């Protein structure tokens, strides 16, 4: 089984990541190493290296590997950054970030998902991840500023709090759109009051729920 999974992971990197234009060697190496099958439940393990989002419980998903790679590459991590992730989910993205930057702060609104992700971080010995339960649409004010912020749920608009928690020269990567389909956006903080945004690709994430996200009822 583990040999088969290793081969499937290599194939994922070659075909779904390199084959579709991901070129950051650090991202490719980390995704070649990190065992995505650990972050999904038993029945999903054999499908862990398919290029698709998979259910992780609570109506949530672990994101598609290509999109994870695209977003991570867009962060342009060098290794010394402090990064905020909104939407811990399975913990896969946070674990990947922890291999590529100095410190990761990650927030999840579902305590069950957070507890499971924390167990995996412990098993993998990932000591540079700090996590908490809460509404990440308003960021993590007591830990600002962040060099990078990544939101792994779809927002109706760019949350003002997140933009304000970016360090000068920092970058925010997030999906913005309606509840079903979004566009991946990159926003750079150039100075105290100057920001530059651009759109990278279409994507489809579960909704970001919270004060600066969608309301639970869908309004
Ligand atoms: N990054 C995750 C991974 O690697 O598995 C995938 C995230 S999943 C697509 C989106 C996650 O965002 C869900 O677990 C959901 O509960 C969480 N979420 C949605 N709104 C949130 C909020 N306001 N604050 C924190 N987490 C939120």
């Amino acid at each position: 089984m583990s040999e088969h999974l290793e081969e499937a992971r290599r194939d994922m990197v070659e075909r779904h990541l390199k084959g579709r234009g991901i070129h950051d060697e650090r991202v490719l190496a980390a995704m070649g190493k990190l065992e995505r099958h650990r972050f999904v439940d038993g029945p999903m393990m054999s499908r862990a290296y398919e290029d698709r989002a998979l259910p992780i419980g609570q109506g949530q998903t672990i994101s598609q590997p290509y999109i994870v790679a695209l977003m991570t590459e867009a962060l342009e991590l060098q290794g010394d950054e402090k990064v905020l992730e909104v939407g811990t989910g399975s913990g896969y993205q946070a674990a990947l970030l922890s291999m590529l930057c100095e410190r990761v702060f990650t927030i999840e609104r579902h305590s069950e998902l957070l507890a499971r992700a924390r167990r995996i971080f412990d098993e993998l010995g990932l000591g540079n991840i700090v996590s908490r339960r809460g509404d990440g649409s308003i960021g993590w004010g007591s830990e600002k500023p962040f060099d990078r912020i990544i939101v792994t749920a779809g927002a109706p608009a760019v949350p003002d709090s997140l933009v304000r928690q970016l360090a000068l020269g920092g970058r925010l990567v997030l999906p913005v759109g309606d509840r079903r389909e979004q566009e991946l956006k990159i926003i750079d903080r150039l100075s105290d009051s100057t920001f530059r945004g651009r759109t990278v690709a279409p994507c489809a994430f579960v909704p970001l729920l919270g004060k600066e996200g969608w309301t639970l009822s869908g309004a």
Side-chain angles (χ1 to χ4, degrees):
M1 177 77 160
S2 78
E3 234 171 69
H4 169 73
L5 290 171
E6 227 177 283
E7 194 183 318
R9 190 162 61 252
R10 269 199 301 273
D11 185 58
M12 171 192 84
V13 171
E14 289 301 320
R15 221 150 46 98
H16 303 312
L17 308 184
K18 276 191 194 170
R20 290 185 65 188
I22 303 296
H23 56 266
D24 183 322
E25 289 297 338
R26 292 181 73 234
V27 174
L28 292 168
M31 288 186 73
K33 219 165 135 189
L34 185 61
E35 296 179 335
R36 189 172 186 256
H37 63 269
R38 282 180 177 256
F39 297 82
V40 297
D41 289 333
M44 287 292 151
M45 272 194 186
S46 61
R47 307 182 58 187
Y49 299 104
E50 292 177 11
D51 192 32
R52 53 185 299 161
L54 295 171
I56 54 171
Q58 312 293 327
Q60 306 302 323
T61 52
I62 178 173
S63 309
Q64 177 193 351
Y66 171 70
I67 292 290
V68 172
L70 191 65
M71 291 177 83
T72 309
E73 183 167 83
L75 292 173
E76 293 184 354
L77 296 169
Q78 305 301 315
D80 58 354
E81 298 86 357
K82 179 177 172 184
V83 179
L84 172 67
E85 180 201 22
V86 177
T88 315
S90 69
Y92 178 77
Q93 175 77 71
L96 181 65
L97 293 169
S98 82
M99 298 163 77
L100 297 168
C101 71
E102 194 168 298
R103 267 190 307 161
V104 182
F105 292 80
T106 182
I107 311 184
E108 170 57 52
R109 55 183 295 279
H110 280 289
S111 42
E112 300 83 352
L113 293 179
L114 185 62
R116 199 171 60 184
R118 278 178 171 165
R119 268 200 305 278
I120 305 174
F121 299 155
D122 285 346
E123 280 167 21
L124 296 177
L126 303 173
N128 61 344
I129 304 178
V130 184
S131 60
R132 76 165 170 88
R133 202 194 77 78
D135 176 6
S137 73
I138 55 169
W140 192 326
S142 61
E143 290 294 343
K144 70 174 187 210
F146 297 97
D147 301 307
R148 303 285 187 270
I149 300 178
I150 176 171
V151 181
T152 61
V158 179
D160 208 39
S161 296
L162 297 185
V163 160
R164 281 189 280 105
Q165 289 174 26
L166 268 184
L168 289 187
R171 171 170 287 188
L172 167 64
V173 175
L174 83 170
V176 180
D178 63 32
R179 283 179 85 104
R180 295 170 62 97
E181 291 172 332
Q182 306 89 31
E183 284 183 321
L184 200 57
K185 290 197 180 293
I186 298 180
I187 292 156
D188 290 318
R189 181 168 207 167
L190 306 179
S191 75
D192 250 356
S193 56
T194 326
F195 296 87
R196 184 180 50 204
R198 63 194 156 98
T199 298
V200 185
C203 55
F205 278 82
V206 295
L208 177 76
L209 301 174
K211 251 190 204 154
E212 294 191 43
W214 297 95
T215 60
L216 269 173
S217 61

